[in-house]
Amino acid sequence: MLFDLTVVQFSKMLNNLNAIFDKAEAFAALKRVDTSVLLNSRLAADQFNFIRQVQIACDTAKVGVARLTGQLETMPKHDDSETTLAELRERIASVLTYLEGFSEADFANAATIQISQPRWEGKYLTGYEFAVQHAIPNIYFHITTAYAILRHNGVEVGKKDYLGAMPYKAPIL
């Protein structure tokens, strides 16, 4: 289950975010707005800008899965120097490629392992708690905020853009 909640969903949401970039580029071209205006926009003065929201969403995906599977040493390295949509796309692609390397088997013990980080001052969460209480809400927060920054600036994105394709089933007659 943790594979589906993390690898599958994180990949879907990063792909959705990447698709929203297309609308941001089209908006910028149509309105003759430099894309750097969108990339450096934020919802509040004390909140990270669009670029940082995307960087953190990517980091949440790769670090979350790496911690759950005990594979921190295999993560792609990013130096947080992106300044363009193309560079953000490259970062997303790097994380998606990384996530493709995981299988359900990699998560065999993920639910019960102990996960900690320095700022938790010696405390830990089980893998399940880490996924459900930290990693999943965190990636959704940052992707939602990136989406909201674009929407706030006039980019015509909607809930379907955020949610992406759904696995609808036809009713059995």
Side-chain angles (χ1 to χ4, degrees), residues 8-70:
V8 174
Q9 275 305 117
F10 291 176
S11 297
K12 178 184 179 182
M13 294 307 295
L14 289 173
N15 276 310
N16 295 351
L17 182 58
N18 203 22
I20 289 171
F21 289 2
D22 294 339
K23 290 195 172 190
E25 286 175 322
F27 170 84
L30 178 68
K31 299 293 186 178
R32 297 188 179 125
V33 173
D34 188 328
T35 56
S36 68
V37 171
L38 299 174
L39 296 172
N40 290 295
S41 291
R42 59 187 76 224
L43 293 176
D46 65 346
Q47 193 172 43
F48 291 129
N49 66 13
F50 179 85
I51 291 171
R52 191 70 185 122
Q53 299 295 339
V54 175
Q55 291 168 338
I56 295 171
C58 288
D59 290 349
T60 299
K62 72 180 183 182
V63 174
V65 169
R67 282 194 172 125
L68 286 165
T69 60

Side-chain angles (χ1 to χ4, degrees), residues 154-167:
V155 178
E156 292 185 18
V157 291
K159 190 184 291 187
K160 286 184 179 183
D161 298 302
Y162 175 81
L163 293 175
M166 301 294 281

Side-chain angles (χ1 to χ4, degrees), residues 122-153:
K123 298 175 185 142
Y124 72 91
L125 296 171
T126 66
Y128 178 81
E129 292 165 336
F130 171 77
V132 172
Q133 301 282 329
H134 180 77
I136 295 167
N138 198 45
I139 195 168
Y140 283 117
F141 173 84
H142 290 287
I143 290 175
T144 299
T145 304
Y147 163 93
I149 289 169
L150 293 179
R151 185 70 193 103
H152 177 74
N153 279 280

